[in-house]
Amino acid sequence: MAPATVPRVRRTAQNTQYTYNLPRRIHTVETYPVLSPQGATILIYGHENGVTLIWRGGRKFKPEVVKEAERGPPAKQNGKPPVDAVMIIDSDDEEDAPAGKGGSFVDQPQFEDNLDEDDPYPEITQTLDLEFGTAVLHVAALPLTPCTAEDAAWGGTEILKDRMVFAASCATREVFLITLPLVPPSPLSKARAEVQESLLAGKAGNGKWGETMALLAGQLKGSDSLAMTLIRSKTLLERSKSNERSRSESRALPRVVVAAHSPEASGVLRLWDVPLEETSKTGQRIEPFQTEFLPKPLTSISFNPTHSTQLLCNATPDAVRIYDYALASMPPDESEGPFPSQGSWLISFYPPFARPSSSRKPILATSWIAHGRAIFVLLADGQWGIWDIDGVSPQGPALFGKPGSGIRGDALTEFNVSGYVEGTSPLRNPASQRASGAGSDFVPMTPHSRRDALSAANGPERLAPVKGGIVVTPLPASTTTTNDESVVLWIGGAEHIFVIPGVLKFWDAQIRRGVGGGVNLFSGAQPTRMIRLNDLSVGLMGERCTGVGAIVRFIENGGPGSSGNEGLPVELLVCGETRLVIVRESETVVGTRIGGVVSRRKRLSERAKENSAIIVYPRPEQPSSIAFNLSVGPRRKLSKPGVGGLFDEPTSIEDTTQAEAERRPLQLPSRPRSGFAFADSLNAAADVEQQDEEDERDVEVEMLDIMEIDRELDALDSGRGRGRKKVIFDS
């Protein structure tokens, strides 16, 4: 079952949230870095029965194609064939007819020529379910910079222009490499009779949607983490020289390396080498080319986007290590494949200690930043830090440069810059929080209870249940002056989700702040600070946050990454248990695209007659002095009876009063100094017709008058008593 294509839109003071209710429990969400040819963003999420792909935004299918698909396939004829039917009896000597009925189906999606600019938000164009028969816990995509399909041929890999490549790990220890067309399947393709009639048509690997699958075998337990990368031709060429392979053969082999960690024994790291051309053979079985037995299980792994052979491994709480599978641990390696049988560990980075204990702070998440030249780390107590490996920082040497070493005598790797996430002080000082919430009564403490209290307050086990993550999204070159990256980090839940719009500018601002630049962490220009997202529980509707993601905002604005003046360069993707929430943050323009304020006010004016509140009707053209109808009763004209009591009986004097009112000019009441002194002639002042229709509207005068009314209402609010009336200003 696909998610609802129409989200539930909720607007807050800071952002707009689009909530999609899903029929299954979500385990993981991944944003594919390459757009589809019609300009849609592809989201991949794993659930309890497989994988679902969502095409969001871009050009829509043509309406006639959608209507034809809604009619469904032609029904089969029941009963006798028509009289004019012709039966052909083939001879046994003739050649066998080709397999299949009527040939294979060729999907030719038809899209509209242009984007619909009237849409307030990108709509879901198409969805596709791939059934695995088991839960998919992890999904990994290539570490590419978000781009269009025309620019996706990274390293000469032309297959990326037409097909997406991703890996999925299941709860039943299988790992699959899947390729699928970037173009979404047409409604006619999903309405085929062979798909509607068979319950197994949606099973992954059948080829109904043009997908191919390769089984990555060798694991005995399910994977805890998954990563993949694309290998450059240069890496293969250097390795193939020792194996006497030709240069042309090595350069023509685009390959994908998939890494997975499983909790077998004390932890096992396996790597598979998969040629992309051979993935067209569905059902093939590939064995790992490297198996690394670890002393301790890993929490997460990720490939370097620049140096594709380096793998970042989070071995919390001990250290963060870098593994290179192309560098042999023993130089005289005689393996037959393009890679050695055993890689090597390059370096380890050590986090600080959790005071006053001797244990290190648990590492929630780590990720490459600055295109693989630095590491961003988030610790369980709310501390974040950056390890500068290649000297990316504008000030100061590299971590292991000649001026000084980054390793101290107490086995600590020094951060280039570091800080603490806002609102995480209770994680570092739980005793102070408990003391502030407790009463002021003195409670005696015995030595036994004192020892238990100290161990519970300062022990490292208090940080064990804390969850968190980091998502780094490269921004296209047209978004900023340099190729920057956006970082999304979360700790604990939806209450502590932060976005760094540009990590390089943020890094530079923190260094200048440390030397006296005066830049605050949560203030200043947007690219130089860490932005906290508020009110995300509105979209989750009670569900807990299980993960976050990011989508580059360049679909609706006509250019890669051109977010304009509407907030952050990325849209935040918050994953709940059964909900996906897409958050569009905007600090300058809030809620201007959705709902339409003008249309809403028009609807209010239509319901004004049935409302018991006081309605204020400003006219489209106003003279220098403006009158407002504050009467509870219906509007009247001068041709009707004049001013009278609300419950007065009609008398014969009304005709005389009306005639006198028409003969003499109407005197508008002057502005009172205080109070409602003009209440005696409110009806007459509101019913007066505008004398000069050619006068232009003075907006400044209108605003001053409205402000004057507000001040008068505020002054009378304290002595008004119980009776209060609601005022609705209708334009």
Side-chain angles (χ1 to χ4, degrees):
M1 297 178 60
T5 57
V6 179
R8 304 183 67 176
V9 183
R10 290 167 173 80
R11 288 177 292 178
T12 64
Q14 190 184 16
N15 51 52
T16 304
Q17 304 176 17
Y18 310 90
T19 302
Y20 296 90
N21 295 321
L22 307 180
R24 302 183 180 96
R25 184 179 181 89
I26 309 171
H27 295 296
T28 181
V29 180
E30 186 73 22
T31 303
Y32 195 73
V34 182
L35 299 181
S36 63
Q38 100 277 7
T41 301
I42 303 176
L43 303 177
I44 308 172
Y45 75 90
H47 48 78
E48 58 191 11
N49 196 32
V51 168
T52 297
L53 295 96
I54 302 175
W55 282 265
R56 178 177 179 265
R59 293 181 288 123
K60 302 179 181 178
F61 291 103
K62 291 185 177 181
E64 54 268 19
V65 177
V66 178
K67 293 180 181 179
E68 183 179 356
E70 291 177 353
R71 290 194 295 267
K76 293 183 178 180
Q77 185 175 0
N78 187 12
K80 296 181 179 180
V83 179
D84 56 351
V86 179
M87 180 178 296
I88 300 176
I89 302 176
D90 296 334
S91 174
D92 297 338
D93 299 335
E94 296 179 358
E95 297 181 358
D96 296 337
K101 299 180 180 180
S104 60
F105 177 81
V106 179
D107 190 12
Q108 296 179 354
Q110 299 180 10
F111 301 98
E112 296 180 352
D113 297 333
N114 300 317
L115 292 172
D116 191 357
E117 299 180 356
D118 296 334
D119 291 340
Y121 54 86
E123 297 182 357
I124 293 181
T125 307
Q126 188 60 280
T127 60
L128 179 62
D129 292 334
L130 295 179
E131 297 181 3
F132 284 66
T134 183
V136 174
L137 303 181
H138 301 280
V139 174
L142 295 174
L144 304 178
T145 301
C147 60
T148 59
E150 294 79 6
D151 302 332
W154 182 78
T157 309
E158 298 294 331
I159 191 176
L160 297 180
K161 291 184 177 181
D162 302 324
R163 305 180 70 85
M164 68 178 79
V165 182
F166 64 94
S169 64
C170 304
T172 55
R173 79 184 181 184
E174 292 91 355
V175 178
F176 296 97
L177 182 68
I178 303 114
T179 65
L180 193 73
L182 284 172
V183 181
S186 64
L188 293 177
S189 177
K190 300 183 68 174
R192 287 178 290 172
E194 56 181 335
V195 176
Q196 298 292 334
E197 295 174 358
S198 177
L199 296 177
L200 300 178
K203 188 173 180 59
N206 288 343
K208 299 295 183 181
W209 316 109
E211 80 278 4
T212 62
M213 292 182 62
L215 175 61
L216 309 182
Q219 289 197 147
L220 301 179
K221 290 185 178 181
S223 302
D224 284 344
S225 53
L226 189 67
M228 65 181 302
T229 187
L230 189 65
I231 304 199
R232 294 179 180 270
S233 301
K234 180 180 178 181
T235 305
L236 292 175
L237 181 61
E238 294 176 354
R239 181 66 186 173
S240 63
K241 288 182 179 179
S242 60
N243 298 325
E244 297 180 357
R245 293 188 176 182
S246 61
R247 298 170 62 93
S248 60
E249 180 183 359
S250 300
R251 188 177 294 108
L253 286 177
R255 313 176 78 89
V256 170
V257 172
V258 181
H261 170 265
S262 61
E264 303 171 18
S266 59
V268 179
L269 179 65
R270 291 183 175 88
L271 294 97
W272 294 268
D273 179 20
V274 186
L276 286 182
E277 287 80 4
E278 297 182 5
T279 55
S280 58
K281 303 176 182 178
T282 302
Q284 64 173 333
R285 183 184 180 94
I286 300 177
E287 298 295 334
F289 70 90
Q290 279 188 14
T291 302
E292 184 76 16
F293 294 93
L294 307 173
K296 194 172 184 179
L298 302 178
T299 305
S300 63
I301 55 176
S302 60
F303 279 103
N304 193 316
T306 303
H307 307 285
S308 58
T309 61
Q310 297 180 2
L311 185 67
L312 184 65
C313 304
N314 181 11
T316 181
D318 296 336
V320 175
R321 297 184 172 92
I322 298 178
Y323 179 78
D324 195 332
Y325 61 85
L327 184 61
S329 57
M330 301 180 66
D333 185 82
E334 298 179 357
S335 59
E336 297 180 356
F339 301 107
S341 59
Q342 200 73 21
S344 59
W345 296 94
L346 301 182
I347 195 173
S348 298
F349 303 92
Y350 299 98
F353 291 92
R355 298 179 180 178
S357 65
S358 59
S359 302
R360 297 186 183 274
K361 298 179 181 180
I363 304 172
L364 292 182
T366 59
S367 182
W368 299 100
I369 62 171
H371 304 283
R373 302 171 61 189
I375 299 175
F376 193 97
V377 60
L378 178 64
L379 305 180
D381 66 338
Q383 184 180 5
W384 59 267
I386 298 177
W387 284 317
D388 189 3
I389 302 176
D390 294 342
V392 184
S393 172
Q395 299 181 7
L399 184 61
F400 302 101
K402 295 182 180 179
S405 174
I407 302 292
R408 302 182 191 175
D410 52 356
L412 289 179
T413 306
E414 184 179 2
F415 290 121
N416 187 270
V417 291
S418 64
Y420 289 93
V421 176
E422 180 186 5
T424 57
S425 58
L427 296 175
R428 298 183 295 273
N429 301 314
S432 60
Q433 182 188 21
R434 183 168 57 253
S436 60
S440 58
D441 298 336
F442 175 78
V443 178
M445 181 176 291
T446 63
H448 179 72
S449 61
R450 182 182 294 109
R451 182 171 61 254
D452 294 341
L454 292 176
S455 62
N458 301 321
E461 61 274 4
R462 75 178 188 276
L463 302 176
V466 180
K467 304 296 182 181
I470 299 174
V471 176
V472 178
T473 304
L475 301 178
S478 58
T479 303
T480 55
T481 56
T482 58
N483 291 335
D484 209 341
E485 296 168 328
S486 179
V487 178
V488 180
L489 55 94
W490 69 283
I491 177 172
E495 296 80 11
H496 300 88
I497 298 180
F498 302 85
V499 178
I500 303 176
V503 67
L504 295 181
K505 296 180 180 179
F506 172 79
W507 191 350
D508 182 42
Q510 295 306 305
I511 292 178
R512 290 188 286 106
R513 173 175 173 265
V515 297
V519 180
N520 193 3
L521 180 62
F522 296 97
S523 64
Q526 188 190 76
T528 63
R529 62 191 178 97
M530 185 181 294
I531 301 174
R532 182 175 183 176
L533 304 184
N534 300 320
D535 301 327
L536 296 184
S537 59
V538 175
L540 289 174
M541 294 187 292
E543 291 190 354
R544 64 183 182 91
C545 174
T546 60
V548 297
I551 304 174
V552 177
R553 294 181 59 180
F554 62 96
I555 300 178
E556 71 274 14
N557 297 310
S562 59
S563 60
N565 296 324
E566 297 188 3
L568 301 178
V570 295
E571 290 179 317
L572 184 66
L573 182 63
V574 182
C575 177
E577 296 175 344
T578 59
R579 293 185 177 93
L580 285 179
V581 183
I582 298 178
V583 183
R584 178 174 296 184
E585 189 76 7
S586 178
E587 294 186 345
T588 56
V589 182
V590 178
T592 57
R593 287 176 173 262
I594 302 172
V597 179
V598 177
S599 62
R600 184 180 179 183
R601 290 179 177 175
K602 290 181 180 179
R603 291 194 296 268
L604 286 176
S605 62
E606 295 174 358
R607 299 193 303 265
K609 297 181 180 180
E610 301 177 359
N611 199 329
S612 60
I614 299 177
I615 311 299
V616 181
Y617 296 91
R619 300 179 184 276
E621 298 180 359
Q622 295 286 356
S624 57
S625 61
I626 305 171
F628 296 95
N629 182 10
L630 301 180
S631 175
V632 179
R635 299 183 63 180
R636 301 177 182 177
K637 295 184 179 180
L638 293 179
S639 60
K640 294 183 178 181
V643 180
L646 184 61
F647 301 99
D648 292 346
E649 296 290 337
T651 59
S652 60
I653 308 177
E654 295 184 17
D655 298 334
T656 307
T657 307
Q658 178 180 357
E660 294 178 356
E662 293 179 354
R663 286 195 300 267
R664 66 174 181 269
L666 181 64
Q667 299 294 331
L668 295 179
S670 58
R671 187 181 304 276
R673 295 183 180 179
S674 62
F676 280 93
F678 54 90
D680 297 335
S681 57
L682 275 179
N683 293 334
D687 294 336
V688 65
E689 298 293 340
Q690 183 174 346
Q691 301 295 335
D692 189 4
E693 298 180 355
E694 298 179 357
D695 295 342
E696 296 183 357
R697 185 176 179 180
D698 194 346
V699 181
E700 296 182 0
V701 175
E702 295 181 15
M703 294 300 298
L704 292 176
D705 292 336
I706 293 175
M707 294 172 61
E708 183 67 23
I709 293 177
D710 292 338
R711 285 194 294 267
E712 296 293 343
L713 293 176
D714 293 339
L716 296 176
D717 186 51
S718 59
R720 185 172 296 180
R722 296 182 179 179
R724 306 183 72 180
K725 292 183 179 181
K726 184 173 63 176
V727 179
I728 300 177
F729 291 90
D730 194 354
S731 59

